[in-house]
Amino acid sequence: GNNIYALLTGLWVFYENEDDEVVQEKLIDGETAFIDDRYRTRSYAEGRLVEIMERCWKLQPEERSTIFEVVAFLRETLAEHKKIEGKK
């Protein structure tokens, strides 16, 4: 999720905090990094990246996507994106 956030925004999660302990406390408290709503609706691909990123950030480990689910999700997203772009 954090790597997708960095690719999407060009920023690292909680970039305003250089102290790792502060970041760890935020994560333990269930806080996630800010995601500008424009990423959700600006394009199909960006919206899907936000969706999988948020799945990776689920507080309970059993609710998080596995790496295999992430890869499958990204492959599905790429295939659908190609269809959408082909129709333009």
Side-chain angles (χ1 to χ4, degrees), residues 28-45:
I28 289 168
D29 290 341
E31 189 174 334
T32 58
F34 172 75
I35 303 169
D36 190 312
D37 281 337
R38 290 176 286 189
Y39 289 117
R40 296 177 196 282
T41 58
R42 190 163 48 188
S43 72
Y44 172 77

Side-chain angles (χ1 to χ4, degrees), residues 46-57:
E46 288 177 332
R48 293 283 286 180
L49 287 173
V50 170
E51 185 180 338
I52 194 62
M53 180 173 46
E54 291 178 329
R55 288 186 196 179
C56 292
W57 285 349

Side-chain angles (χ1 to χ4, degrees), residues 14 19-31:
F14 303 115
D19 186 344
D20 287 340
E21 288 182 28
V22 172
V23 172
Q24 286 177 342
E25 287 175 28
K26 288 178 179 251
L27 295 172
I28 289 168
D29 290 341
E31 189 174 334

